[in-house]
Amino acid sequence: MQAVGMIAEFNPFHAGHAYALAQARKLTQADVVVVVMSGNYVQRGEPAIFDKWVRARAALDHGADIVIELPVTGAVQAADQFAEAGVATLAALRVTALAFGTEHPELAYLDLARQLEKAPLMDPGFSDYTQTYATQLNAAYAKTAGITQTDPNFMLGLSYAKAVLALQVPMQLYPFGRQGVAHDALHLTANLASASAIRQRLRGGESLAKIVPADLIPVYTKQQQYGWPQYFPWLKYRLQTADLAQLRQVATMAEGLEYRFTQQIDDAIDMTSFLKRVKSKRYTYARLRRLALAITLNMTTAAVEKARHLPQLHVLGFTPAGQQYLRQVKHQVGWPLLTRVSADMLAPNGILAMTHRADRLITTISGVEQNYGRRPLM
Amino acid sequence: MQAVGMIAEFNPFHAGHAYALAQARKLTQADVVVVVMSGNYVQRGEPAIFDKWVRARAALDHGADIVIELPVTGAVQAADQFAEAGVATLAALRVTALAFGTEHPELAYLDLARQLEKAPLMDPGFSDYTQTYATQLNAAYAKTAGITQTDPNFMLGLSYAKAVLALQVPMQLYPFGRQGVAHDALHLTANLASASAIRQRLRGGESLAKIVPADLIPVYTKQQQYGWPQYFPWLKYRLQTADLAQLRQVATMAEGLEYRFTQQIDDAIDMTSFLKRVKSKRYTYARLRRLALAITLNMTTAAVEKARHLPQLHVLGFTPAGQQYLRQVKHQVGWPLLTRVSADMLAPNGILAMTHRADRLITTISGVEQNYGRRPLM
């Protein structure tokens, strides 16, 4: 059986995602589509609007054959680390093709990545404190490889290519155009934009007709939603009581931000006002939001390191074809394949310790257990 | 001017406390009554029902001349440490008399303490895991010094005497009987019991007539109340996300309790149910409640140690006589006398860092700033 992989968040799953899954299958003539999907926390630094099981179910019902969880330690990271975690997971599952939607399907991503590899990109000049890292990265890309595109999905595709080279895994890339996605009044031309528009509509109680597959609409309207409004009081409490040494242990903490965060939290009334208070030219909102989430989840550098050394494949669900594929590869996969989570995996030194830490908060909010004893969706 | 000291919590201030302040003055013929009062957190391991300013105001209006804050690092401790922190504070203020109410005013407390000092009390036999520390301590007292009383205020008096000896400070003890306290239907015979009865009445919206000085009744009914119901969600969040190494840094954490606490928190719906789940024969409820509070406040062993090396006298208020006393002694006091709190005192390495950490939560709940820029009540 041939498999094609996708790296996704489905936050939430919508018609554009169904189109993308179909494209991936069509382009590669694969028998199964394997999705590595962010768990309960997403790359932009917030809890996913619906839990991972709801999102996995939607994907399985609309074109995915296997959904594997991308752990919080890989998901809540800058694009390069996010891409690397996703590519590594697919490679561990013996998937050798990766499809992705992009504004520029015509480009040769691996070639571009090779050009970047040759040049010393991270030169010491990356110390302009008046510009974000992303801006400086784009400038360096332009200088080194003549890359002047900065569209978000193009950039993510480039991160995939860089990850393939860095990890030295056998992985063909299959970029495809996103023009199939509903060109309606919402201008849902990009994946991210449309997911964000849907979240807004969901929070505003507006209609999702045509944007979301019809069968998902009743599911979405009755689901528990998660977001910063629930998490902000925890962030505030934590910043008010943590000592600076503890904050410095948090993954992606940068020099000085621990002071800025602890000083600005008292008068912030919600996440938006807090982010405005801590924003500087040096850091993007996404970077700051991810850091705030890492603080809230107590996702320390040590926890990220530990997760890197204890990788695993947490199977959220599969179709019959997906099951067949898993049977085919199960003796070749390099990482533990988890289809049922036991208590020892969730223990402080267990393989899912950080996932459990982060997901306990989801359970506190909704009462829905996220790991222990749960079997893959079929 | 002669001063008499008292160590108190006033949680909340009631008629029995007014009687005690009058007794202290009468017994010693002192010109001023100096009270060292727990700040926003009390010895039984919870936030005081009213903030420190409300309680200090009540005391100043009913017999106290000076109210000094007993910091959270001294207040949220077992009786011996609580007593030691209080006695040390009075001694730093050049107070050489300490009055306290007790069930046994006829006993010679310093003599009893001296007898205990002679005997090796903390023998290795303190390892009976089927009994609380308090029970074993009482048995050791009985064996060593023939002390068979275990009434709470007697025990606290003994702790004061032990502290006077341990700190080698000049301090006369003035125990007095508590029989003046209203023998009404509530059986408010002991200070703690009556404070607890009043808290119950306040929470139930019942009448406080005769139990509380009349002028305080309208104050109490309109005040913001604090308690575990507000703090429990923070405790739960913290236990769900902290790693074990961080929990082991918390003051008074004992071997194994970090596991018990983190395992039992998920299904606990409030503080009462949580304490029932973690209770064992080895630990009293008060001990476990204090530990839970220390976790919530992130009161680490390091923070307690730092506080011990950076003592201070935070003046919450004084009468004209109290002010005169402070002027008289201000060049002799060994610790910084704080009458106005500046930002640097609240900074992470400031003299009030731990107080600020704990009090920020009070401000989050009520919006009432507890330290910065506040001047003593007059």
Side-chain angles (χ1 to χ4, degrees), chain A residues 237 240-241 246 262 266 296 298 357 360 364, chain B residues 237 240-241 246 262 266 296 298 357 360 364:
Chain A
Y237 157 76
Q240 290 184 320
T241 55
Q246 290 173 332
T262 50
D266 285 332
T296 309
N298 194 26
R357 186 184 294 176
R360 280 171 113 173
T364 288
Chain B
Y237 157 76
Q240 290 185 320
T241 55
Q246 290 173 333
T262 51
D266 285 332
T296 310
N298 193 26
R357 186 183 295 176
R360 279 171 113 173
T364 287

mmCIF file with all atom_site columns, all heavy atoms in Angstrom, chain A residues 237 240-241 246 262 266 296 298 357 360 364, chain B residues 237 240-241 246 262 266 296 298 357 360 364:
data_model
loop_
_atom_site.group_PDB
_atom_site.id
_atom_site.type_symbol
_atom_site.label_atom_id
_atom_site.label_alt_id
_atom_site.label_comp_id
_atom_site.label_asym_id
_atom_site.label_entity_id
_atom_site.label_seq_id
_atom_site.pdbx_PDB_ins_code
_atom_site.Cartn_x
_atom_site.Cartn_y
_atom_site.Cartn_z
_atom_site.occupancy
_atom_site.B_iso_or_equiv
_atom_site.pdbx_formal_charge
_atom_site.auth_seq_id
_atom_site.auth_comp_id
_atom_site.auth_asym_id
_atom_site.auth_atom_id
_atom_site.pdbx_PDB_model_num
ATOM 1   N N   . TYR A 1 237 ? -2.652  33.913 36.742 1.00 0.00 ? 237 TYR A N   1
ATOM 2   C CA  . TYR A 1 237 ? -2.255  33.333 38.028 1.00 0.00 ? 237 TYR A CA  1
ATOM 3   C C   . TYR A 1 237 ? -0.792  32.889 37.991 1.00 0.00 ? 237 TYR A C   1
ATOM 4   O O   . TYR A 1 237 ? -0.012  33.166 38.901 1.00 0.00 ? 237 TYR A O   1
ATOM 5   C CB  . TYR A 1 237 ? -3.157  32.145 38.374 1.00 0.00 ? 237 TYR A CB  1
ATOM 6   C CG  . TYR A 1 237 ? -2.519  31.186 39.337 1.00 0.00 ? 237 TYR A CG  1
ATOM 7   C CD1 . TYR A 1 237 ? -2.423  31.508 40.690 1.00 0.00 ? 237 TYR A CD1 1
ATOM 8   C CD2 . TYR A 1 237 ? -1.957  29.993 38.896 1.00 0.00 ? 237 TYR A CD2 1
ATOM 9   C CE1 . TYR A 1 237 ? -1.795  30.653 41.582 1.00 0.00 ? 237 TYR A CE1 1
ATOM 10  C CE2 . TYR A 1 237 ? -1.325  29.129 39.777 1.00 0.00 ? 237 TYR A CE2 1
ATOM 11  C CZ  . TYR A 1 237 ? -1.246  29.460 41.118 1.00 0.00 ? 237 TYR A CZ  1
ATOM 12  O OH  . TYR A 1 237 ? -0.613  28.618 41.988 1.00 0.00 ? 237 TYR A OH  1
ATOM 13  N N   . GLN A 1 240 ? 1.659   35.670 37.932 1.00 0.00 ? 240 GLN A N   1
ATOM 14  C CA  . GLN A 1 240 ? 1.679   36.403 39.199 1.00 0.00 ? 240 GLN A CA  1
ATOM 15  C C   . GLN A 1 240 ? 2.415   35.654 40.299 1.00 0.00 ? 240 GLN A C   1
ATOM 16  O O   . GLN A 1 240 ? 2.901   36.265 41.242 1.00 0.00 ? 240 GLN A O   1
ATOM 17  C CB  . GLN A 1 240 ? 0.247   36.722 39.643 1.00 0.00 ? 240 GLN A CB  1
ATOM 18  C CG  . GLN A 1 240 ? -0.411  37.782 38.753 1.00 0.00 ? 240 GLN A CG  1
ATOM 19  C CD  . GLN A 1 240 ? -1.787  38.169 39.243 1.00 0.00 ? 240 GLN A CD  1
ATOM 20  O OE1 . GLN A 1 240 ? -2.553  37.328 39.688 1.00 0.00 ? 240 GLN A OE1 1
ATOM 21  N NE2 . GLN A 1 240 ? -2.115  39.446 39.152 1.00 0.00 ? 240 GLN A NE2 1
ATOM 22  N N   . THR A 1 241 ? 2.487   34.342 40.195 1.00 0.00 ? 241 THR A N   1
ATOM 23  C CA  . THR A 1 241 ? 3.075   33.573 41.292 1.00 0.00 ? 241 THR A CA  1
ATOM 24  C C   . THR A 1 241 ? 4.389   32.879 40.949 1.00 0.00 ? 241 THR A C   1
ATOM 25  O O   . THR A 1 241 ? 5.122   32.495 41.859 1.00 0.00 ? 241 THR A O   1
ATOM 26  C CB  . THR A 1 241 ? 2.087   32.498 41.801 1.00 0.00 ? 241 THR A CB  1
ATOM 27  O OG1 . THR A 1 241 ? 1.681   31.689 40.696 1.00 0.00 ? 241 THR A OG1 1
ATOM 28  C CG2 . THR A 1 241 ? 0.867   33.134 42.447 1.00 0.00 ? 241 THR A CG2 1
ATOM 29  N N   . GLN A 1 246 ? 11.729  29.971 37.415 1.00 0.00 ? 246 GLN A N   1
ATOM 30  C CA  . GLN A 1 246 ? 10.779  29.008 36.846 1.00 0.00 ? 246 GLN A CA  1
ATOM 31  C C   . GLN A 1 246 ? 10.352  29.435 35.455 1.00 0.00 ? 246 GLN A C   1
ATOM 32  O O   . GLN A 1 246 ? 10.227  28.608 34.548 1.00 0.00 ? 246 GLN A O   1
ATOM 33  C CB  . GLN A 1 246 ? 9.557   28.859 37.758 1.00 0.00 ? 246 GLN A CB  1
ATOM 34  C CG  . GLN A 1 246 ? 9.871   28.141 39.079 1.00 0.00 ? 246 GLN A CG  1
ATOM 35  C CD  . GLN A 1 246 ? 8.692   28.153 40.049 1.00 0.00 ? 246 GLN A CD  1
ATOM 36  O OE1 . GLN A 1 246 ? 7.852   29.055 40.020 1.00 0.00 ? 246 GLN A OE1 1
ATOM 37  N NE2 . GLN A 1 246 ? 8.643   27.161 40.933 1.00 0.00 ? 246 GLN A NE2 1
ATOM 38  N N   . THR A 1 262 ? 5.738   39.357 33.434 1.00 0.00 ? 262 THR A N   1
ATOM 39  C CA  . THR A 1 262 ? 5.271   39.446 34.829 1.00 0.00 ? 262 THR A CA  1
ATOM 40  C C   . THR A 1 262 ? 4.868   40.872 35.202 1.00 0.00 ? 262 THR A C   1
ATOM 41  O O   . THR A 1 262 ? 3.995   41.067 36.034 1.00 0.00 ? 262 THR A O   1
ATOM 42  C CB  . THR A 1 262 ? 6.346   38.938 35.826 1.00 0.00 ? 262 THR A CB  1
ATOM 43  O OG1 . THR A 1 262 ? 7.586   39.572 35.532 1.00 0.00 ? 262 THR A OG1 1
ATOM 44  C CG2 . THR A 1 262 ? 6.533   37.444 35.713 1.00 0.00 ? 262 THR A CG2 1
ATOM 45  N N   . ASP A 1 266 ? -0.644  42.230 35.527 1.00 0.00 ? 266 ASP A N   1
ATOM 46  C CA  . ASP A 1 266 ? -1.607  42.651 36.547 1.00 0.00 ? 266 ASP A CA  1
ATOM 47  C C   . ASP A 1 266 ? -2.793  43.415 35.979 1.00 0.00 ? 266 ASP A C   1
ATOM 48  O O   . ASP A 1 266 ? -3.929  43.207 36.374 1.00 0.00 ? 266 ASP A O   1
ATOM 49  C CB  . ASP A 1 266 ? -0.922  43.513 37.614 1.00 0.00 ? 266 ASP A CB  1
ATOM 50  C CG  . ASP A 1 266 ? -0.071  42.681 38.563 1.00 0.00 ? 266 ASP A CG  1
ATOM 51  O OD1 . ASP A 1 266 ? -0.396  41.495 38.761 1.00 0.00 ? 266 ASP A OD1 1
ATOM 52  O OD2 . ASP A 1 266 ? 0.910   43.216 39.102 1.00 0.00 ? 266 ASP A OD2 1
ATOM 53  N N   . THR A 1 296 ? 1.537   28.786 30.320 1.00 0.00 ? 296 THR A N   1
ATOM 54  C CA  . THR A 1 296 ? 0.292   28.277 30.904 1.00 0.00 ? 296 THR A CA  1
ATOM 55  C C   . THR A 1 296 ? 0.343   26.758 31.064 1.00 0.00 ? 296 THR A C   1
ATOM 56  O O   . THR A 1 296 ? -0.136  26.211 32.054 1.00 0.00 ? 296 THR A O   1
ATOM 57  C CB  . THR A 1 296 ? -0.900  28.672 30.024 1.00 0.00 ? 296 THR A CB  1
ATOM 58  O OG1 . THR A 1 296 ? -0.838  30.072 29.765 1.00 0.00 ? 296 THR A OG1 1
ATOM 59  C CG2 . THR A 1 296 ? -2.218  28.345 30.706 1.00 0.00 ? 296 THR A CG2 1
ATOM 60  N N   . ASN A 1 298 ? 3.017   25.050 31.362 1.00 0.00 ? 298 ASN A N   1
ATOM 61  C CA  . ASN A 1 298 ? 4.286   24.683 31.976 1.00 0.00 ? 298 ASN A CA  1
ATOM 62  C C   . ASN A 1 298 ? 5.087   23.770 31.050 1.00 0.00 ? 298 ASN A C   1
ATOM 63  O O   . ASN A 1 298 ? 5.613   22.740 31.463 1.00 0.00 ? 298 ASN A O   1
ATOM 64  C CB  . ASN A 1 298 ? 4.070   24.022 33.339 1.00 0.00 ? 298 ASN A CB  1
ATOM 65  C CG  . ASN A 1 298 ? 5.354   23.931 34.151 1.00 0.00 ? 298 ASN A CG  1
ATOM 66  O OD1 . ASN A 1 298 ? 6.277   24.729 33.968 1.00 0.00 ? 298 ASN A OD1 1
ATOM 67  N ND2 . ASN A 1 298 ? 5.424   22.958 35.030 1.00 0.00 ? 298 ASN A ND2 1
ATOM 68  N N   . ARG A 1 357 ? -0.205  16.570 30.740 1.00 0.00 ? 357 ARG A N   1
ATOM 69  C CA  . ARG A 1 357 ? -0.188  17.836 31.471 1.00 0.00 ? 357 ARG A CA  1
ATOM 70  C C   . ARG A 1 357 ? -1.056  18.870 30.765 1.00 0.00 ? 357 ARG A C   1
ATOM 71  O O   . ARG A 1 357 ? -1.859  19.564 31.384 1.00 0.00 ? 357 ARG A O   1
ATOM 72  C CB  . ARG A 1 357 ? 1.258   18.339 31.580 1.00 0.00 ? 357 ARG A CB  1
ATOM 73  C CG  . ARG A 1 357 ? 1.439   19.563 32.435 1.00 0.00 ? 357 ARG A CG  1
ATOM 74  C CD  . ARG A 1 357 ? 2.877   20.067 32.419 1.00 0.00 ? 357 ARG A CD  1
ATOM 75  N NE  . ARG A 1 357 ? 3.799   19.128 33.053 1.00 0.00 ? 357 ARG A NE  1
ATOM 76  C CZ  . ARG A 1 357 ? 5.124   19.291 33.101 1.00 0.00 ? 357 ARG A CZ  1
ATOM 77  N NH1 . ARG A 1 357 ? 5.672   20.382 32.572 1.00 0.00 ? 357 ARG A NH1 1
ATOM 78  N NH2 . ARG A 1 357 ? 5.892   18.401 33.677 1.00 0.00 ? 357 ARG A NH2 1
ATOM 79  N N   . ARG A 1 360 ? -4.959  17.770 30.587 1.00 0.00 ? 360 ARG A N   1
ATOM 80  C CA  . ARG A 1 360 ? -5.743  17.792 31.832 1.00 0.00 ? 360 ARG A CA  1
ATOM 81  C C   . ARG A 1 360 ? -6.563  19.075 31.923 1.00 0.00 ? 360 ARG A C   1
ATOM 82  O O   . ARG A 1 360 ? -7.641  19.095 32.500 1.00 0.00 ? 360 ARG A O   1
ATOM 83  C CB  . ARG A 1 360 ? -4.811  17.742 33.043 1.00 0.00 ? 360 ARG A CB  1
ATOM 84  C CG  . ARG A 1 360 ? -4.306  16.358 33.370 1.00 0.00 ? 360 ARG A CG  1
ATOM 85  C CD  . ARG A 1 360 ? -3.228  16.456 34.435 1.00 0.00 ? 360 ARG A CD  1
ATOM 86  N NE  . ARG A 1 360 ? -3.675  15.861 35.695 1.00 0.00 ? 360 ARG A NE  1
ATOM 87  C CZ  . ARG A 1 360 ? -2.876  15.686 36.748 1.00 0.00 ? 360 ARG A CZ  1
ATOM 88  N NH1 . ARG A 1 360 ? -1.629  16.102 36.704 1.00 0.00 ? 360 ARG A NH1 1
ATOM 89  N NH2 . ARG A 1 360 ? -3.331  15.138 37.856 1.00 0.00 ? 360 ARG A NH2 1
ATOM 90  N N   . THR A 1 364 ? -10.429 19.551 32.588 1.00 0.00 ? 364 THR A N   1
ATOM 91  C CA  . THR A 1 364 ? -10.959 20.401 33.653 1.00 0.00 ? 364 THR A CA  1
ATOM 92  C C   . THR A 1 364 ? -12.082 21.292 33.124 1.00 0.00 ? 364 THR A C   1
ATOM 93  O O   . THR A 1 364 ? -13.099 21.503 33.789 1.00 0.00 ? 364 THR A O   1
ATOM 94  C CB  . THR A 1 364 ? -9.832  21.260 34.267 1.00 0.00 ? 364 THR A CB  1
ATOM 95  O OG1 . THR A 1 364 ? -8.995  20.407 35.047 1.00 0.00 ? 364 THR A OG1 1
ATOM 96  C CG2 . THR A 1 364 ? -10.384 22.360 35.160 1.00 0.00 ? 364 THR A CG2 1
ATOM 97  N N   . TYR B 1 237 ? -5.261  23.849 38.937 1.00 0.00 ? 237 TYR B N   1
ATOM 98  C CA  . TYR B 1 237 ? -4.454  24.140 37.747 1.00 0.00 ? 237 TYR B CA  1
ATOM 99  C C   . TYR B 1 237 ? -2.971  23.870 38.024 1.00 0.00 ? 237 TYR B C   1
ATOM 100 O O   . TYR B 1 237 ? -2.282  23.234 37.239 1.00 0.00 ? 237 TYR B O   1
ATOM 101 C CB  . TYR B 1 237 ? -4.656  25.594 37.311 1.00 0.00 ? 237 TYR B CB  1
ATOM 102 C CG  . TYR B 1 237 ? -3.509  26.115 36.489 1.00 0.00 ? 237 TYR B CG  1
ATOM 103 C CD1 . TYR B 1 237 ? -3.370  25.739 35.150 1.00 0.00 ? 237 TYR B CD1 1
ATOM 104 C CD2 . TYR B 1 237 ? -2.544  26.943 37.051 1.00 0.00 ? 237 TYR B CD2 1
ATOM 105 C CE1 . TYR B 1 237 ? -2.290  26.191 34.400 1.00 0.00 ? 237 TYR B CE1 1
ATOM 106 C CE2 . TYR B 1 237 ? -1.471  27.393 36.313 1.00 0.00 ? 237 TYR B CE2 1
ATOM 107 C CZ  . TYR B 1 237 ? -1.339  27.013 34.992 1.00 0.00 ? 237 TYR B CZ  1
ATOM 108 O OH  . TYR B 1 237 ? -0.278  27.446 34.255 1.00 0.00 ? 237 TYR B OH  1
ATOM 109 N N   . GLN B 1 240 ? -2.094  20.272 38.345 1.00 0.00 ? 240 GLN B N   1
ATOM 110 C CA  . GLN B 1 240 ? -2.214  19.563 37.073 1.00 0.00 ? 240 GLN B CA  1
ATOM 111 C C   . GLN B 1 240 ? -1.061  19.863 36.125 1.00 0.00 ? 240 GLN B C   1
ATOM 112 O O   . GLN B 1 240 ? -0.769  19.077 35.230 1.00 0.00 ? 240 GLN B O   1
ATOM 113 C CB  . GLN B 1 240 ? -3.549  19.926 36.404 1.00 0.00 ? 240 GLN B CB  1
ATOM 114 C CG  . GLN B 1 240 ? -4.736  19.325 37.146 1.00 0.00 ? 240 GLN B CG  1
ATOM 115 C CD  . GLN B 1 240 ? -6.047  19.564 36.438 1.00 0.00 ? 240 GLN B CD  1
ATOM 116 O OE1 . GLN B 1 240 ? -6.274  20.660 35.904 1.00 0.00 ? 240 GLN B OE1 1
ATOM 117 N NE2 . GLN B 1 240 ? -6.917  18.580 36.424 1.00 0.00 ? 240 GLN B NE2 1
ATOM 118 N N   . THR B 1 241 ? -0.423  21.011 36.288 1.00 0.00 ? 241 THR B N   1
ATOM 119 C CA  . THR B 1 241 ? 0.599   21.392 35.317 1.00 0.00 ? 241 THR B CA  1
ATOM 120 C C   . THR B 1 241 ? 2.027   21.424 35.879 1.00 0.00 ? 241 THR B C   1
ATOM 121 O O   . THR B 1 241 ? 2.986   21.385 35.106 1.00 0.00 ? 241 THR B O   1
ATOM 122 C CB  . THR B 1 241 ? 0.300   22.777 34.701 1.00 0.00 ? 241 THR B CB  1
ATOM 123 O OG1 . THR B 1 241 ? 0.161   23.719 35.764 1.00 0.00 ? 241 THR B OG1 1
ATOM 124 C CG2 . THR B 1 241 ? -0.973  22.746 33.871 1.00 0.00 ? 241 THR B CG2 1
ATOM 125 N N   . GLN B 1 246 ? 9.250   20.816 40.592 1.00 0.00 ? 246 GLN B N   1
ATOM 126 C CA  . GLN B 1 246 ? 8.774   22.127 41.041 1.00 0.00 ? 246 GLN B CA  1
ATOM 127 C C   . GLN B 1 246 ? 7.994   21.989 42.349 1.00 0.00 ? 246 GLN B C   1
ATOM 128 O O   . GLN B 1 246 ? 8.115   22.814 43.252 1.00 0.00 ? 246 GLN B O   1
ATOM 129 C CB  . GLN B 1 246 ? 7.905   22.776 39.963 1.00 0.00 ? 246 GLN B CB  1
ATOM 130 C CG  . GLN B 1 246 ? 8.704   23.215 38.734 1.00 0.00 ? 246 GLN B CG  1
ATOM 131 C CD  . GLN B 1 246 ? 7.822   23.703 37.598 1.00 0.00 ? 246 GLN B CD  1
ATOM 132 O OE1 . GLN B 1 246 ? 6.667   23.292 37.463 1.00 0.00 ? 246 GLN B OE1 1
ATOM 133 N NE2 . GLN B 1 246 ? 8.360   24.571 36.755 1.00 0.00 ? 246 GLN B NE2 1
ATOM 134 N N   . THR B 1 262 ? -0.887  15.315 43.258 1.00 0.00 ? 262 THR B N   1
ATOM 135 C CA  . THR B 1 262 ? -1.126  15.400 41.809 1.00 0.00 ? 262 THR B CA  1
ATOM 136 C C   . THR B 1 262 ? -2.064  14.294 41.335 1.00 0.00 ? 262 THR B C   1
ATOM 137 O O   . THR B 1 262 ? -2.801  14.479 40.373 1.00 0.00 ? 262 THR B O   1
ATOM 138 C CB  . THR B 1 262 ? 0.197   15.319 41.004 1.00 0.00 ? 262 THR B CB  1
ATOM 139 O OG1 . THR B 1 262 ? 0.944   14.189 41.447 1.00 0.00 ? 262 THR B OG1 1
ATOM 140 C CG2 . THR B 1 262 ? 1.028   16.562 41.197 1.00 0.00 ? 262 THR B CG2 1
ATOM 141 N N   . ASP B 1 266 ? -7.475  15.581 40.121 1.00 0.00 ? 266 ASP B N   1
ATOM 142 C CA  . ASP B 1 266 ? -8.355  15.598 38.948 1.00 0.00 ? 266 ASP B CA  1
ATOM 143 C C   . ASP B 1 266 ? -9.832  15.472 39.308 1.00 0.00 ? 266 ASP B C   1
ATOM 144 O O   . ASP B 1 266 ? -10.672 16.156 38.740 1.00 0.00 ? 266 ASP B O   1
ATOM 145 C CB  . ASP B 1 266 ? -7.977  14.479 37.971 1.00 0.00 ? 266 ASP B CB  1
ATOM 146 C CG  . ASP B 1 266 ? -6.707  14.799 37.187 1.00 0.00 ? 266 ASP B CG  1
ATOM 147 O OD1 . ASP B 1 266 ? -6.423  15.997 36.987 1.00 0.00 ? 266 ASP B OD1 1
ATOM 148 O OD2 . ASP B 1 266 ? -6.009  13.855 36.791 1.00 0.00 ? 266 ASP B OD2 1
ATOM 149 N N   . THR B 1 296 ? -0.229  26.739 46.095 1.00 0.00 ? 296 THR B N   1
ATOM 150 C CA  . THR B 1 296 ? -1.002  27.740 45.357 1.00 0.00 ? 296 THR B CA  1
ATOM 151 C C   . THR B 1 296 ? -0.256  29.063 45.267 1.00 0.00 ? 296 THR B C   1
ATOM 152 O O   . THR B 1 296 ? -0.279  29.725 44.233 1.00 0.00 ? 296 THR B O   1
ATOM 153 C CB  . THR B 1 296 ? -2.370  27.961 46.031 1.00 0.00 ? 296 THR B CB  1
ATOM 154 O OG1 . THR B 1 296 ? -2.991  26.687 46.248 1.00 0.00 ? 296 THR B OG1 1
ATOM 155 C CG2 . THR B 1 296 ? -3.277  28.817 45.166 1.00 0.00 ? 296 THR B CG2 1
ATOM 156 N N   . ASN B 1 298 ? 2.920   29.360 45.427 1.00 0.00 ? 298 ASN B N   1
ATOM 157 C CA  . ASN B 1 298 ? 4.301   29.088 45.024 1.00 0.00 ? 298 ASN B CA  1
ATOM 158 C C   . ASN B 1 298 ? 5.275   29.579 46.094 1.00 0.00 ? 298 ASN B C   1
ATOM 159 O O   . ASN B 1 298 ? 6.271   30.234 45.816 1.00 0.00 ? 298 ASN B O   1
ATOM 160 C CB  . ASN B 1 298 ? 4.614   29.734 43.666 1.00 0.00 ? 298 ASN B CB  1
ATOM 161 C CG  . ASN B 1 298 ? 5.910   29.208 43.072 1.00 0.00 ? 298 ASN B CG  1
ATOM 162 O OD1 . ASN B 1 298 ? 6.332   28.098 43.350 1.00 0.00 ? 298 ASN B OD1 1
ATOM 163 N ND2 . ASN B 1 298 ? 6.556   30.024 42.257 1.00 0.00 ? 298 ASN B ND2 1
ATOM 164 N N   . ARG B 1 357 ? 3.842   38.387 45.862 1.00 0.00 ? 357 ARG B N   1
ATOM 165 C CA  . ARG B 1 357 ? 3.400   37.218 45.094 1.00 0.00 ? 357 ARG B CA  1
ATOM 166 C C   . ARG B 1 357 ? 2.053   36.710 45.633 1.00 0.00 ? 357 ARG B C   1
ATOM 167 O O   . ARG B 1 357 ? 1.130   36.438 44.873 1.00 0.00 ? 357 ARG B O   1
ATOM 168 C CB  . ARG B 1 357 ? 4.457   36.115 45.195 1.00 0.00 ? 357 ARG B CB  1
ATOM 169 C CG  . ARG B 1 357 ? 4.183   34.909 44.329 1.00 0.00 ? 357 ARG B CG  1
ATOM 170 C CD  . ARG B 1 357 ? 5.217   33.809 44.520 1.00 0.00 ? 357 ARG B CD  1
ATOM 171 N NE  . ARG B 1 357 ? 6.549   34.198 44.090 1.00 0.00 ? 357 ARG B NE  1
ATOM 172 C CZ  . ARG B 1 357 ? 7.638   33.455 44.227 1.00 0.00 ? 357 ARG B CZ  1
ATOM 173 N NH1 . ARG B 1 357 ? 7.548   32.254 44.799 1.00 0.00 ? 357 ARG B NH1 1
ATOM 174 N NH2 . ARG B 1 357 ? 8.805   33.880 43.810 1.00 0.00 ? 357 ARG B NH2 1
ATOM 175 N N   . ARG B 1 360 ? -0.903  39.488 45.251 1.00 0.00 ? 360 ARG B N   1
ATOM 176 C CA  . ARG B 1 360 ? -1.397  39.776 43.895 1.00 0.00 ? 360 ARG B CA  1
ATOM 177 C C   . ARG B 1 360 ? -2.681  38.999 43.640 1.00 0.00 ? 360 ARG B C   1
ATOM 178 O O   . ARG B 1 360 ? -3.549  39.445 42.892 1.00 0.00 ? 360 ARG B O   1
ATOM 179 C CB  . ARG B 1 360 ? -0.367  39.353 42.845 1.00 0.00 ? 360 ARG B CB  1
ATOM 180 C CG  . ARG B 1 360 ? 0.741   40.336 42.640 1.00 0.00 ? 360 ARG B CG  1
ATOM 181 C CD  . ARG B 1 360 ? 1.805   39.726 41.753 1.00 0.00 ? 360 ARG B CD  1
ATOM 182 N NE  . ARG B 1 360 ? 1.872   40.401 40.458 1.00 0.00 ? 360 ARG B NE  1
ATOM 183 C CZ  . ARG B 1 360 ? 2.815   40.142 39.542 1.00 0.00 ? 360 ARG B CZ  1
ATOM 184 N NH1 . ARG B 1 360 ? 3.728   39.213 39.768 1.00 0.00 ? 360 ARG B NH1 1
ATOM 185 N NH2 . ARG B 1 360 ? 2.825   40.793 38.400 1.00 0.00 ? 360 ARG B NH2 1
ATOM 186 N N   . THR B 1 364 ? -6.198  40.309 42.378 1.00 0.00 ? 364 THR B N   1
ATOM 187 C CA  . THR B 1 364 ? -6.886  39.753 41.211 1.00 0.00 ? 364 THR B CA  1
ATOM 188 C C   . THR B 1 364 ? -8.362  39.489 41.533 1.00 0.00 ? 364 THR B C   1
ATOM 189 O O   . THR B 1 364 ? -9.240  39.725 40.714 1.00 0.00 ? 364 THR B O   1
ATOM 190 C CB  . THR B 1 364 ? -6.191  38.449 40.757 1.00 0.00 ? 364 THR B CB  1
ATOM 191 O OG1 . THR B 1 364 ? -4.958  38.795 40.135 1.00 0.00 ? 364 THR B OG1 1
ATOM 192 C CG2 . THR B 1 364 ? -7.043  37.678 39.740 1.00 0.00 ? 364 THR B CG2 1
#
